[in-house]
Amino acid sequence: MILSVFICLVLTGCNEPAQIVDCGFYFDTYVQIHVYGEDKQYLKECLEICESCDKLYSAHDPDSLLYKLNHGESSDYSALYPLIKTSKDYNDLTGGAVNPAIGAVSLLWDFSDKDNPSFPGSGNIKDALIHTDPSSIILKDNNVSLTDPEAKIDLGFIAKGAVSELIRDHLIEKGVKSALINLGGNIVVIGSKPGGEAFTVGIKYPFSGDVIVTVEVCDAAVVTSGIYERNFVYNDHFYHHILDPETGFPVENELLSVTIVSSDPTKADALSTACMVMGMEKGLEFIENTDDAEALFIDNHYNIYTTSGFPKYEYQ
Ligand code: ADP
Ligand code: MG
C-alpha cells in the first residue's frame, strides 16, 4: 500500500513546480505567460519585454520608434534594424507575399471597430500603393531609412512572432524548462509540461470559439493567421486585415486560416501570413519545400489540408 501511495504521488506529480501566470495587453492583443516554476520575477520581465517591444514596433503609437521612422523624424534606428532586416528577408523568401513596406496602404485600413467600419476608399488605396515598394527601405550601417517620404513600415505580420521569440529566449536563459507564451494566439512553448507530456494547443474553428484540431508540441511555435478576427462588413462586402500587396485590398481566396508549426516563432508568424496571401495551392507547396515548418490550412468549406509532416503533431 505504501508503494502504491508512493507511485500515486509520483504520477500525480506532487513534486512538480507550480504554474505561475501573468497577463497583459500589448500589440492590441492579450498576452499570457505561463511558467512552471516559482520565480514571479520572470513573468514581470516577460511583460517588460512586451512593453519595450511595443514602444519599438508599433505603427500606431506616436511614441514608438517605428512611428518616428515612418514620419520622417531623424533618429538612431539601429534598434529596429534586426527585425526590419528579417522582415525584408521574408519579403524576398515569399516572393513578395509579405511586404514590410505595405504600411502606406495597411495603415489606411482600421479593423478595430466592427460596428463602425471605416472604409479607406479605393482612390486612396490606389494612390498609396505607389509607396509600398520594399526597396525604399534602406538597411545600411546597422541603421534604417526610407527613401520615399510617403512610405511606411508595418511589422504587424511578424512582430508578435519576434517578441514571443525574445521572451522564449529570455526564459531559457533564466533556466526555465517549461513554459507557454501566448501573444494573442501566437503560441510558443518551452520544453514539455513538467510531467514530460507535450503541450496541447487548440486550433480555432474559424468564426466560432470551438477547437477544430488539437496539436501536441514541445519546444515549438504554433501560429495562426486568419480572416475571422479582424474584419468588418461594409456595403454588404466582407473586408479583413490580410492584404494583397498587389491591390492593397484584403486577399480573396479560399482560405479562412493557416496555422504553422515551427521551432522558430518568427518564421511561423511570417509564413502563416504569407500563406494566407499565397492561397492554398501555392502556400501548401511553399511550406512543403520549407525546412522546419509544417502547415494546416482551413478553406471556406471548413475542409482541412495539411503538409505531409503536419499529422505527427495532431492529437489522436
Ligand atoms: P495577427 O496580427 O492577427 O496575428 P498576422 O500575423 O497575419 O495577423 O498579421 C496581419 C497584419 O500584418 C495586418 O494587421 C497588417 O498590419 C499586416 N499585413 C497585412 N497584410 C500584409 C502583407 N501582405 N504583408 C505584410 N504585412 C501585412
Ligand atoms: Mg503573421
Side-chain angles (χ1 to χ4, degrees), residues 97-100 102 106 154 156-157 160 186 225 230 241-243 245 269 273 277:
V98 280
N99 174 9
I102 204 165
S106 60
D154 179 354
F157 79 94
K160 277 185 265 168
N186 280 44
S225 243
R230 289 175 198 255
H241 78 317
I242 296 169
L243 305 176
D269 193 4
T273 312
V277 176

Side-chain angles (χ1 to χ4, degrees), residues 10-313:
V10 170
L11 288 179
T12 55
C14 65
N15 287 327
E16 285 172 8
Q19 186 186 176
I20 50 174
V21 185
D22 208 347
C23 324
F25 192 78
Y26 304 94
F27 327 105
D28 209 16
T29 188
Y30 287 99
V31 170
Q32 250 183 0
I33 319 277
H34 306 242
V35 172
Y36 289 91
E38 305 288 321
D39 199 336
K40 290 215 165 90
Q41 178 62 21
Y42 297 159
L43 298 175
K44 199 167 156 261
E45 287 162 6
C46 292
L47 296 182
E48 281 165 6
I49 292 173
C50 290
E51 181 143 11
S52 60
C53 287
D54 222 0
K55 283 278 170 275
L56 286 178
Y57 305 136
S58 170
H60 300 281
D61 177 355
D63 292 330
S64 82
L65 195 59
L66 183 65
Y67 191 94
K68 292 190 168 81
L69 173 63
N70 281 344
H71 290 83
E73 276 187 43
S74 51
S75 182
D76 172 6
Y77 292 113
S78 53
L80 294 177
Y81 183 97
L83 188 55
I84 293 179
K85 164 89 176 71
T86 307
S87 72
K88 268 195 99 179
D89 291 344
Y90 278 109
N91 175 249
D92 292 338
L93 188 78
T94 62
V98 280
N99 174 9
I102 204 165
V105 164
S106 60
L107 295 169
L108 294 175
W109 291 94
D110 178 3
F111 295 97
S112 59
D113 187 355
K114 276 185 215 254
D115 298 328
N116 297 298
S118 68
F119 183 71
S122 309
N124 293 337
I125 290 174
K126 212 166 155 237
D127 292 346
L129 261 183
I130 313 161
H131 303 292
T132 59
D133 183 349
S135 65
S136 67
I137 304 173
I138 305 298
L139 295 158
K140 206 170 148 236
D141 301 331
N142 203 32
N143 213 343
V144 191
S145 57
L146 291 166
T147 51
D148 175 356
E150 301 291 315
K152 290 189 172 45
I153 297 174
D154 179 354
L155 297 171
F157 79 94
I158 198 170
K160 277 185 265 168
V163 176
S164 61
E165 186 167 334
L166 283 177
I167 293 173
R168 178 198 69 181
D169 293 348
H170 178 75
L171 290 174
I172 290 174
E173 198 180 301
K174 293 284 174 182
V176 169
K177 299 274 183 289
S178 179
L180 185 145
I181 301 149
N182 179 356
L183 265 59
N186 280 44
I187 309 283
V188 179
V189 305
I190 297 175
S192 51
K193 287 199 264 184
E197 279 171 61
F199 284 97
T200 50
V201 178
I203 297 171
K204 267 193 197 162
Y205 206 104
F207 299 104
S208 102
D210 299 342
V211 168
I212 193 163
V213 171
T214 302
V215 293
E216 293 190 297
V217 288
C218 302
D219 289 309
V222 183
V223 178
T224 301
S225 243
I227 66 169
Y228 53 87
E229 258 162 11
R230 289 175 198 255
N231 52 51
F232 59 68
V233 175
Y234 179 81
N235 277 352
D236 294 331
H237 196 89
F238 177 82
Y239 296 93
H240 61 82
H241 78 317
I242 296 169
L243 305 176
D244 181 341
E246 301 288 324
T247 64
F249 277 84
V251 281
E252 294 200 22
N253 58 33
E254 67 279 71
L255 294 176
L256 300 182
S257 75
V258 178
T259 300
I260 304 278
V261 179
S262 169
S263 72
D264 177 338
T266 307
K267 183 183 219 170
D269 193 4
L271 296 190
S272 57
T273 312
C275 285
M276 281 299 301
V277 176
M278 289 179 190
M280 176 85 75
E281 203 184 325
K282 252 183 102 182
L284 267 172
E285 192 192 339
F286 178 76
I287 300 298
E288 205 61 75
N289 292 313
T290 300
D291 283 343
D292 186 18
E294 297 297 341
L296 179 142
F297 293 67
I298 303 176
D299 76 4
N300 45 15
H301 299 291
Y302 293 90
N303 293 318
I304 292 173
Y305 298 83
T306 67
T307 52
S308 53
F310 194 92
K312 66 175 174 281
Y313 299 117

